[in-house]
Amino acid sequence: MRIKSKSYVMPTYGNKNLEFYKGKGCYLYNKKNEKFLDFASGIAVNSLGHCHPKLINALNKQSNLLWHVSNLYIIKKQEEFAKMLCKKSFAENVFFTNSGTESIECGLKIIRGYHSFHKTGKTEIISFDGAFHGRTFGALSAQKNKKYTNGFGPLLSGFRKIEFNNINKLKKAINHKTAGIIIEPIQGEGGIRPADLEFLKFIRKICDQKNILFFADEVQCGFGRSGKLFSYEWAKIKPDLMAVAKGIGSGFPLGACLSTRKACISMTQGSHGSTYGGNPLAMSVGLEVLKIISDKSFLKRVDKTSRYFWKKLKEIEYHSKIISEIRGAGLLLGIKTKINNLKFSSKLKENKLLNVPAADNTIRLAPPLIVSYKEIDKSISIIKKVLEEIE
């Protein structure tokens, strides 16, 4: 039975009790001008915090020149941004989208198209337990998570899900039909679970041996969140494809699918498209974000602050009867609790620390990459206070 609501917006996000009217840096403000420490970051989106002056300047400047033109025309900043992305990653070609799930869909098409072009007969794509790749049918079919698929079947065929971080299970699952393997180097929605580096290395090795495409989903864990520009770098490997979004625009709707030329051989004229993908406004913001985040000193600072945050959370874990595990990597961290994670999340919000619940009874902490030691200390004080109240 559907509950009547005064809102004209579809009730897909449940009940809401917080509203913010402005943001600055790592903080959001409500109408009472109360300050909330934002360690949700729009679900790992606001990589440079709220209203970063350089992004405001880039957006304002471009908004006075040109908002949108069709991709049937040359968009100079799109070419510039694509080149910069390729130079700073494994990629040789880029397709721009507006979101993470669109980037995933593009990558899934590339996998199928590659094997169709080479007439290999391979069509099956392997994914892993706990995965979240988006809410379109391709993404839903890949992750096979009942939480998101109930009532929306039938799903698309050609996907196989196996246990995360299990090399033996992966070996057994691969067969003559395996076309691609899609994996998040750090699972976000799945409970902030990092892939073992040896597991990622094995995937790269088996993909090379069996003519399988390695598809990295870095929608949530990419763009500096791990302490490197891209999370795959920690394993010292390179994927064939990668989906990115969220932090790429620091709040502006933007995504991309990165690929080697070899992998995207089927992406010819008319094979794929996007009305808004790569528009001048998005490209102006994205370029500025990449320039800031890809700076070595910026990434070094992210790595240092994330290690500091990890150490402080582990100290709390050691003394707490409620926390069962601190997990994650970089500035994508999770607190797995022995109590209901929604209750814990709500208590933190009441104390003005914003967070996002995740699977496996975990709450997610994904502060902006510009977060200071002082702001981390403040979050630790709030977490301690809430734990003391509950215990």
Side-chain angles (χ1 to χ4, degrees):
M1 182 178 176
R2 182 165 176 167
I3 299 170
K4 289 185 178 180
S5 170
K6 293 180 181 179
S7 176
Y8 289 93
V9 177
M10 289 186 188
T12 56
Y13 299 107
N15 296 324
K16 308 168 193 175
N17 55 17
L18 284 174
E19 180 184 1
F20 302 106
Y21 85 101
K22 74 172 184 178
K24 188 70 176 175
C26 293
Y27 290 93
L28 283 170
Y29 298 79
N30 64 13
K31 288 183 178 179
K32 294 179 183 178
N33 212 36
E34 293 174 321
K35 193 162 69 167
F36 289 72
L37 190 55
D38 187 8
F39 275 33
S41 300
I43 313 184
V45 168
N46 299 99
S47 50
L48 296 176
H50 298 280
C51 300
H52 193 288
K54 288 188 177 180
L55 303 190
I56 291 172
N57 182 58
L59 187 59
N60 285 343
K61 188 176 178 181
Q62 184 60 48
S63 70
N64 284 303
L65 293 172
L66 185 66
W67 288 24
H68 173 81
V69 289
S70 166
N71 278 299
L72 297 175
Y73 306 117
I74 294 169
I75 301 174
K76 189 176 180 181
K77 283 194 175 178
Q78 189 180 120
E79 293 287 346
E80 187 182 344
F81 192 20
K83 181 179 179 180
M84 193 173 180
L85 280 170
C86 290
K87 294 291 183 183
K88 292 182 180 296
S89 72
F90 70 94
E92 296 166 301
N93 286 119
V94 180
F95 181 88
F96 289 109
T97 68
N98 311 285
S99 66
T101 196
E102 290 174 68
S103 301
I104 292 294
E105 292 292 329
C106 180
L108 296 177
K109 282 181 71 173
I110 287 173
I111 292 171
R112 293 277 177 80
Y114 171 85
H115 289 285
S116 176
F117 179 89
H118 290 291
K119 298 180 173 60
T120 65
K122 295 172 179 278
T123 56
E124 192 172 86
I125 297 171
I126 291 175
S127 65
F128 299 95
D129 285 332
F132 181 83
H133 301 300
R135 297 177 189 267
T136 49
F137 266 97
L140 291 174
S141 303
Q143 65 208 30
K144 295 181 183 292
N145 189 325
K146 289 181 181 179
K147 178 181 176 182
Y148 306 106
T149 59
N150 275 352
F152 300 111
L155 298 177
L156 304 178
S157 62
F159 294 93
R160 186 174 186 182
K161 185 174 73 171
I162 63 169
E163 187 178 330
F164 187 59
N165 273 335
N166 191 318
I167 289 177
N168 289 329
K169 290 283 178 70
L170 180 55
K171 283 179 182 177
K172 290 176 183 178
I174 290 172
N175 58 42
H176 69 283
K177 284 283 187 180
T178 307
I181 298 173
I182 181 171
I183 187 170
E184 298 160 272
I186 308 169
Q187 288 188 345
E189 296 293 326
I192 323 301
R193 300 192 300 166
D196 294 337
L197 297 185
E198 291 305 314
F199 190 59
L200 293 174
K201 289 175 183 178
F202 176 77
I203 293 175
R204 179 66 276 170
K205 182 180 177 181
I206 201 76
C207 284
D208 288 337
Q209 292 173 351
K210 304 285 186 178
N211 191 23
I212 298 167
L213 294 184
F214 183 166
F215 187 8
D217 177 352
E218 295 218 14
V219 168
Q220 190 161 163
C221 65
F223 269 80
R225 189 143 293 277
S226 70
K228 290 188 182 289
L229 187 55
F230 300 113
S231 292
Y232 72 79
E233 295 177 64
W234 288 104
K236 297 179 180 177
I237 50 127
K238 295 178 181 180
D240 301 298
L241 304 165
M242 179 170 67
V244 292
K246 291 188 180 286
I248 190 176
S250 194
F252 197 96
L254 173 59
C257 184
L258 282 63
S259 175
T260 63
R261 284 198 186 93
K262 179 184 176 182
C264 68
I265 194 167
S266 67
M267 290 290 109
T268 55
Q269 186 174 342
S271 62
H272 199 50
S274 172
T275 298
Y276 299 108
N279 68 78
L281 282 175
M283 296 298 94
S284 297
V285 176
L287 262 168
E288 199 61 44
V289 171
L290 183 56
K291 286 174 185 176
I292 295 168
I293 290 180
S294 63
D295 182 85
K296 287 182 180 179
S297 61
F298 183 91
L299 290 169
K300 189 175 181 180
R301 187 179 178 283
V302 172
D303 188 45
K304 281 187 175 181
T305 52
S306 65
R307 291 176 191 276
Y308 177 80
F309 196 12
W310 175 268
K311 182 183 175 183
K312 291 290 184 179
L313 288 171
K314 291 296 284 185
E315 287 172 1
I316 293 176
E317 178 194 4
Y318 182 77
H319 297 287
S320 175
K321 296 175 183 177
I322 291 172
I323 296 174
S324 58
E325 185 184 2
I326 300 297
R327 52 169 65 159
L331 288 176
L332 183 57
L333 300 175
I335 302 176
K336 181 176 168 63
T337 64
K338 295 173 185 176
I339 62 169
N340 184 281
N341 67 327
L342 298 180
K343 178 184 176 182
F344 187 46
S345 172
S346 181
K347 285 284 186 183
L348 291 174
K349 289 175 187 175
E350 287 172 15
N351 284 271
K352 298 183 173 58
L353 176 61
L354 302 178
N355 62 90
V356 186
D360 201 22
N361 213 43
T362 304
I363 69 137
R364 177 176 7 187
L365 298 170
L369 305 184
I370 59 168
V371 67
S372 67
Y373 292 108
K374 184 178 178 181
E375 288 158 343
I376 288 171
D377 286 342
K378 185 173 182 178
S379 76
I380 292 295
S381 295
I382 294 171
I383 293 167
K384 283 181 177 178
K385 179 176 180 288
V386 169
L387 287 171
E388 286 170 5
E389 288 174 359
I390 295 171
E391 288 176 347

